[in-house]
Amino acid sequence: MPAPKVHVHPHLVSASVALAADLRARVQAKPDLVIGLPTGSTPTALYAEMVRLHDADGMDWSRMRSFNLDEFWPIAPNHPQSFTRFMREQLFEPADLDPSRTHVPSGDVAAASIAKHCAAYEAAIQKCGGIEVQILGVGLNGHLGFNEPGAARDSRTGLVELAESTRARATAAFAPEQVPTRAITMGLGTILEAREIVVLAFGAEKANAVAAAIEGPVSEECPASLLQEHAKVRWFLDESAAGSLNRIWPP
Ligand code: GLP
């Protein structure tokens, strides 16, 4: 199996700044780069640095094409916890992306239209030529997007049930009785088709998931372990998230 490249940084900010610099070079070379984007707490410093590069250095991200990983369902696009709103506020508006080139699964598509919506999402990715760089966070249980343990490695974009542990983590953000039970997520098959994958993980709470993903058995019980079968994966970690790894990668 191909060895992943693991970059361990002293702090999440230096890891995020390094990745933003990498993306800037990629987009300068190919302004309409097709990128897959995550939400959650993990990428916020990356997005802040991309905004800073736009504001302070005049970086033009406007031709980049983006596809987000996931969205709760059902949720209104203006709900404070909607990933659509998160992306608009954290990156799309402040970094001046072209709204016609950004894509987030819809949280308010009608139940009867979900299958059609998800097929159209896959088709839109294909129409762009596929995702060139997929950025990922990783869940405490090894989930990717909202592909929870047990998800099929060839799954496509669709509606999924959230794991109890994922819902429990979300209770800090939602009123307890309002934590969604479902979400629309790119499938593991969709994610693994990206030509290049970059995974971000920060903090000691991610150390076990990171070690299971990089050094554990390849299993659908840990979706992030499936990344071991991908030819081009880079991990950007801080020292705490790298704390349970047995060796320095590549070995
Ligand atoms: C969330 C998202 C994932 C994300 C992960 C980690 O629920 N669905 O795409 O990578 O769980 O979240 P965080 O970055 O907040 O730890």
Side-chain angles (χ1 to χ4, degrees), residues 18-31:
L19 178 55
D22 186 283
L23 294 177
R24 172 168 66 170
R26 299 287 296 262
V27 171
Q28 282 172 334
K30 185 173 188 293

Side-chain angles (χ1 to χ4, degrees), residues 8 39 76 86 148 217 243:
V8 182
T39 47
F86 173 98
E148 303 284 17

Side-chain angles (χ1 to χ4, degrees), residues 42 137-145 148-149 165-166 168-169 202-210 212 221-224:
T42 304
V138 58
L140 296 180
N141 61 1
H143 73 203
L144 296 180
E148 303 284 17
S165 59
T166 300
R169 195 167 151 85
F202 306 128
E205 66 172 7
K206 295 289 172 75
N208 287 342
V210 167
E221 288 312 307
C222 177

